[in-house]
């Protein structure tokens, strides 16, 4: 989880720097996409782990952990992670 946080913070710092240095745009796109990929994978891994550990109790009204999995999964569909993987891959190929 710490890696996800650091990647998001790195992307945010680049985005701030982009305001004064427009040529950073490819780096901003790569950093934001990379952060999205890792954060999504982390969220799905953690929430899946909750269900593996707690079983069906995770979805009871008292615990309501299913909401976190549903929200993480929904975000992967609204802003497809595969699109971000493609972006990172294309940008890495350009660097070669």
């Amino acid at each position: 989880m710490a890696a996800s946080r650091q990647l998001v913070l790195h992307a945010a710092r680049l985005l701030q720097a982009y305001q004064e240095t427009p040529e950073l745009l490819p780096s901003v796109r790569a950093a934001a996409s990379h952060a999205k990929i890792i954060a999504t994978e982390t969220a799905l891994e953690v929430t899946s782990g909750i269900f593996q550990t707690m079983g069906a109790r995770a979805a009871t009204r008292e615990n309501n952990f299913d909401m976190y999995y549903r929200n993480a999964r929904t975000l992967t569909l609204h802003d497809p992670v595969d699109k971000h993987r493609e972006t990172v891959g294309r940008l890495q190929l350009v660097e070669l």
Side-chain angles (χ1 to χ4, degrees):
M1 291 191 303
S4 297
R5 178 180 166 82
Q6 290 305 313
L7 288 169
V8 170
L9 292 173
H10 174 68
R13 284 190 293 273
L14 278 175
L15 183 59
Q16 252 183 336
Y18 162 74
Q19 312 254 334
E20 300 205 7
T21 315
E23 46 287 349
L24 285 175
L25 184 59
S27 296
V28 172
R29 285 185 178 149
S33 289
H34 195 228
K36 166 71 176 178
I37 293 164
I38 300 303
T40 298
E41 289 174 355
T42 301
L44 291 174
E45 184 179 321
V46 168
T47 54
S48 292
I50 290 170
F51 277 92
Q52 288 176 349
T53 303
M54 294 184 70
R57 289 189 324 261
T60 63
R61 183 172 293 205
E62 180 183 337
N63 293 313
N64 205 27
F65 288 123
D66 58 316
M67 172 186 66
Y68 297 108
Y69 177 80
R70 183 184 63 242
N71 290 347
R73 187 65 182 116
T74 300
L75 287 174
T76 68
L77 301 173
H78 285 290
D79 186 18
V81 177
D82 288 343
K83 177 184 77 174
H84 291 281
R85 285 188 177 106
E86 181 180 336
T87 298
V88 169
R90 286 183 189 273
L91 290 169
Q92 287 178 346
L93 286 174
V94 169
E95 291 176 3
L96 296 176

